[in-house]
Amino acid sequence: MTRVRLIHNRVALLLAVVTVAAALALPFLAFAPNRLLSGKAIALSGVAGAGGNAAALLPFALLLAGPFLRASRAVNVLYVGAGVLAAAGLVWLAGQHAALLAATASPAARTSFGAGFWMMEAAALLAVLDGVRRLGLGPAGRVAVGALVAALIGGQFAAGHLDQLSIMKEYANQRDVFAGAVLRHAALVAAALAPTLLIGVPLGIAAQRSPAVGRLVFPVLNVVQTIPSIALFGLLLAPLSALAAAFPGLGIGGVGPVPAVIALTLYSLLPIARNTAAGLAGVPEPVREAARGIGMTPRQVFWRVEAPLALPVFLSGLRITLVQAVGLAAVAALIGAGGLGAIMFQGLFANALDLVLLGAVPVILLAVAADAALKLASALALSRLGRTAA
Amino acid sequence: MIVFEGVTKRFGAWTAVDNLSLTVAAGEFRVLIGPSGSGKSTVLRMMNRLIAPDAGTIRVEGEDIARLKPETLRRRMGYVIQNIGLFPHWTVERNIAAVPELLGWPRARVRDRVTELLALLNLDPERYRGAYPHELSGGQQQRVGVARALAAEPHILLMDEPFSALDPITRGALQAEMAAIHKATGTTVVFVTHDMDEALALASRIAVLDRGRLVQTGTPLDILTDPADDRVRDLVGREDWGLKRLAVETVAERMRPGETAPGDPLAAGAPLRQALAEMVARGTDRLPVVDGRGRPAGALHLADLLRGPDRA
């Protein structure tokens, strides 16, 4: 007797269970008279019922059916499509209901995302990831799907559909400083990148060529990596303040962007140096010998053979570095370096969670974008070597 | 011509090459053979300065190589290694073009040379020019390795156990191609191996090394018929010595010119070992022989194989 297989996709089953539980048991939105009071929970049923908005939830039907469908390319494509539409539709529904509530409430009233929204949104995005993995999409395809999700949600943002949500009201308040904070955040990361590459790459090369250098360098960088970021800022405070006092003309100080960039650089050195060394160590010895044997100068061996072959591993180190630095730069706001962290801490101190979100969401998006861009670059570098991305 | 005079190389306490003097004549196919640790690879790698000697001088075409820039020296010599070492991020074309590009050849000349070499090594130029190394079999990769070494028309080709990692059939094919290339180009070849059959099949002269010292040099026939000592006798192999000896002489050297015999003819250039195999297979003691153009040249008798070599 053959048993009929009911469940074809366990991941989809888990996501479906989470979706149903979140939809039924958790508040979808919260409505408060002003930003400081905690809000009244609004269930999904109360949102979807109003004005025929339930259509926006239709893609979830396919996500719930997903576990029971036999996998095929068509099913996977539909599943990814449903996930994309569900993620965008959920945001649309929240914006729609916020606008409805705003029509009859005072301007100070706030509509915030509830736990149910976050869980369902996360489930929809994870469904997209799972479907993309099952489809076996390459890095370019993954980036395209990510860009589609970003466009569908960004379009609603641009069209003003989300303006009545609390996070967007916070954005309206911060409009003057928001773009500056994003730029400052990116500038901190970029400013740390230059010294990181200038120091980390030569360190990695030296460590690969001489094991003695590696034994000296990597333990030190490992220790640096384990120092909590706030502690490192504190450690830098004293020497930099002393330096600033001794040379006032330098324009540096114990607080501000300079110690932030120094700390980010110190954290970034390990992944860059380690992956530079690992990439070079991965160059097969016969290839190196052949390059020397046919008459390449040491410089030519490095630039024509070793560097291109080490590039994919180096790029993955750069990816780790960038994602880590984007996150750490948020903490640097504590020592007055500015950036998106400043908005987050302002929200924390004011107990305005949507203001925290306004700082945190762009940090996540920056990190995801850096990750995607470097994965793509790494895959391009690898495809020329005839290997597939790990 | 390559001349070693009193060359010594030590690695720590171990002497890899011990006061070696050796001359490789221009146009020769010189095989260096010996057990592992005999110093044969070290000798080869000193010829292109991948290893520097501790004592002694090495002259290539009359010049003391210690006075040359290593890169200049290496670009004048082809170099083929056992592990091939193709550049995995470059196409076959760019791999082969590596040395001509270093030497600054014009693009059109490089392209023509790549086409010529792919054809020479029996790789269809249009099919393989744009391929990457990982798309090729081991034998094809080493064909590209040989083509890369020959690209800039070197006077000297250094080969370090180039075919040892290949399966026997591919190895045999590449050995035959290597012999043909040597015959056609007149390039001096220095070839390191530990396989006596390979040495006997390819060499015009063999140098036997043991523990960094030269034990014997001579033609394959010299090494077989007059081994210097037991170490050489061991390398030559005691069991199938007779077959090895038949492998280094050709039919032309033993046939009776003008005679005829029935059956399919044998080429005058074929090794005697092949003639013996044919006699056994056909159950005959006489074979007709034709020359290079297929004209009757004579006949070979089984008794002729049993004589000692003709020493002029």
Side-chain angles (χ1 to χ4, degrees):
Chain A
M1 189 184 104
T2 52
R3 258 178 64 204
V4 179
R5 211 168 134 217
L6 188 61
I7 306 299
H8 290 281
N9 182 342
R10 285 168 191 277
V11 177
L13 179 66
L14 178 69
L15 294 176
V17 169
V18 167
T19 301
V20 170
L24 295 179
L26 293 171
F28 184 68
L29 294 173
F31 180 73
N34 62 54
R35 77 190 281 213
L36 296 180
L37 293 177
S38 50
K40 180 168 63 82
I42 302 172
L44 182 64
S45 55
V47 175
N53 291 338
L57 293 175
L58 270 181
F60 275 101
L62 197 61
L63 295 191
L64 297 185
F68 312 105
L69 299 176
R70 197 182 301 274
S72 70
R73 195 170 164 80
V75 163
N76 287 335
V77 169
L78 281 176
Y79 192 72
V80 169
V84 169
L85 289 177
L90 216 54
V91 174
W92 181 85
L93 194 57
Q96 187 76 359
H97 199 70
L100 188 75
L101 290 172
T104 58
S106 86
R110 295 302 185 101
T111 308
S112 306
F113 298 121
F117 169 86
W118 291 119
M119 295 293 280
M120 291 177 74
E121 184 72 15
L125 291 175
L126 287 172
V128 172
L129 283 181
D130 182 50
V132 162
R133 190 181 56 79
R134 282 168 192 278
L135 268 179
L137 283 188
R142 288 167 189 235
V143 169
V145 171
L148 182 61
V149 174
L152 287 177
I153 296 175
Q156 301 179 44
F157 164 79
H161 179 74
L162 311 177
D163 284 353
Q164 296 307 321
L165 282 162
S166 180
I167 183 171
M168 289 306 298
K169 289 193 169 176
E170 296 292 356
Y171 171 71
N173 289 340
Q174 304 285 340
R175 188 185 289 273
D176 296 340
V177 296
F178 182 79
V182 173
L183 283 180
R184 181 61 174 268
H185 203 94
L188 282 174
V189 172
L193 196 59
T196 298
L197 293 176
L198 283 176
I199 302 167
V201 172
L203 269 186
I205 294 170
Q208 194 267 324
R209 300 212 167 150
S210 150
V213 174
R215 280 196 296 273
L216 188 74
V217 166
F218 289 128
V220 172
L221 293 182
N222 266 314
V223 168
V224 171
Q225 199 70 203
T226 61
I227 303 175
S229 50
I230 294 182
L232 188 57
F233 291 135
L235 284 175
L236 288 171
L237 198 63
L240 285 175
S241 300
L243 199 62
F247 304 99
L250 280 180
I252 60 170
V255 296
V258 171
V261 167
I262 293 175
L264 288 182
T265 303
L266 288 174
Y267 284 124
S268 303
L269 283 177
L270 180 67
I272 287 287
R274 195 179 45 202
N275 281 51
T276 301
L280 290 173
V283 176
E285 199 47 48
V287 172
R288 210 175 262 130
E289 188 191 339
R292 291 205 300 140
I294 68 166
M296 288 192 192
T297 62
R299 190 179 291 257
Q300 286 167 335
V301 173
F302 181 79
W303 287 110
R304 296 185 183 204
V305 178
E306 294 184 299
L309 291 177
L311 188 65
V313 178
F314 168 79
L315 284 177
S316 97
L318 188 59
R319 182 172 61 82
I320 297 166
T321 299
L322 278 180
V323 170
Q324 177 183 272
V326 166
L328 282 171
V331 186
L334 276 180
I335 53 162
L340 289 161
I343 294 178
M344 289 166 63
F345 285 116
Q346 198 187 330
L348 274 176
F349 298 143
N351 201 22
L353 284 182
D354 290 303
L355 190 51
V356 177
L357 271 184
L358 184 66
V361 170
V363 169
I364 295 169
L365 293 180
L366 276 180
V368 168
D371 183 75
L374 278 153
K375 270 192 181 147
L376 198 60
S378 194
L380 284 177
L382 270 176
S383 69
R384 299 213 321 168
L385 304 183
R387 304 183 211 144
T388 48
Chain B
M1 189 158 98
I2 305 167
V3 182
F4 275 53
E5 274 174 23
V7 172
T8 296
K9 176 68 195 177
R10 292 183 200 88
F11 295 106
W14 176 56
T15 304
V17 177
D18 190 0
N19 195 22
L20 178 79
S21 295
L22 173 73
T23 300
V24 178
E28 200 168 70
F29 198 122
R30 173 63 74 112
V31 172
L32 306 181
I33 191 168
S36 49
S38 60
K40 55 192 190 297
S41 279
T42 306
V43 168
L44 190 83
R45 290 156 61 90
M46 284 196 287
M47 290 177 183
N48 64 0
R49 289 194 58 185
L50 282 174
I51 296 177
D54 294 320
T57 56
I58 302 167
R59 272 197 285 278
V60 170
E61 290 169 343
E63 285 180 280
D64 181 352
I65 63 168
R67 302 216 179 112
L68 291 173
K69 264 182 69 181
E71 290 79 28
T72 313
L73 174 73
R74 290 171 195 156
R75 287 172 198 178
R76 292 192 341 212
M77 298 177 158
Y79 185 49
V80 184
I81 55 177
Q82 181 181 352
N83 294 316
I84 308 174
L86 294 183
F87 306 124
H89 55 311
W90 286 356
T91 59
V92 164
E93 167 144 40
R94 218 176 146 203
N95 265 284
I96 296 175
V99 183
E101 264 177 23
L102 290 174
L103 294 171
W105 284 21
R107 198 169 291 235
R109 186 177 169 205
V110 174
R111 199 177 159 77
D112 289 348
R113 182 70 180 143
V114 170
T115 309
E116 188 186 340
L117 283 165
L118 282 171
L120 182 69
L121 272 303
N122 288 324
L123 291 168
D124 174 8
E126 290 330 303
R127 183 160 166 214
Y128 290 105
R129 182 190 289 283
Y132 281 90
H134 68 90
E135 295 165 336
L136 308 180
S137 69
Q140 290 170 334
Q141 287 186 21
Q142 193 56 297
R143 285 191 155 88
V144 176
V146 174
R148 176 176 66 181
L150 290 169
E153 295 167 351
H155 294 174
I156 296 170
L157 186 58
L158 307 180
M159 308 183 84
D160 194 353
E161 305 209 24
F163 308 141
S164 303
L166 303 175
D167 67 83
I169 292 171
T170 311
R171 190 189 311 149
L174 271 162
Q175 284 169 353
E177 281 162 34
M178 208 46 241
I181 287 168
H182 175 251
K183 206 169 164 187
T185 60
T187 305
T188 309
V189 180
V190 185
F191 189 108
V192 165
T193 184
H194 60 258
D195 174 356
M196 186 51 96
D197 287 317
E198 186 169 62
L200 295 173
L202 289 174
S204 49
R205 286 177 76 79
I206 295 175
V208 183
L209 294 166
D210 187 46
R211 294 182 205 175
R213 289 164 180 272
L214 192 61
V215 176
Q216 184 173 10
T217 70
T219 65
L221 196 59
D222 292 337
I223 301 285
L224 276 172
T225 54
D226 193 12
D229 61 18
D230 278 350
R231 288 173 298 180
V232 182
R233 232 166 262 131
D234 283 339
L235 268 178
V236 166
R238 294 164 199 261
E239 281 178 20
D240 59 352
W241 180 90
L243 290 175
K244 282 201 170 79
R245 215 204 65 194
L246 289 178
V248 302
E249 278 185 277
T250 60
V251 169
E253 292 166 63
R254 300 289 182 94
M255 73 174 182
R256 303 177 186 185
E259 275 193 28
T260 57
D264 283 337
L266 205 62
L272 288 174
R273 181 179 167 137
Q274 190 188 333
L276 178 66
E278 283 295 324
M279 286 178 186
V280 172
R282 297 186 201 174
T284 176
D285 60 357
R286 279 184 306 153
L287 288 172
V289 179
V290 292
D291 66 14
R293 292 182 202 152
R295 293 176 307 201
L300 183 73
H301 291 240
L302 180 58
D304 300 334
L305 300 185
L306 306 181
R307 279 190 283 123
D310 298 321
R311 292 284 188 170

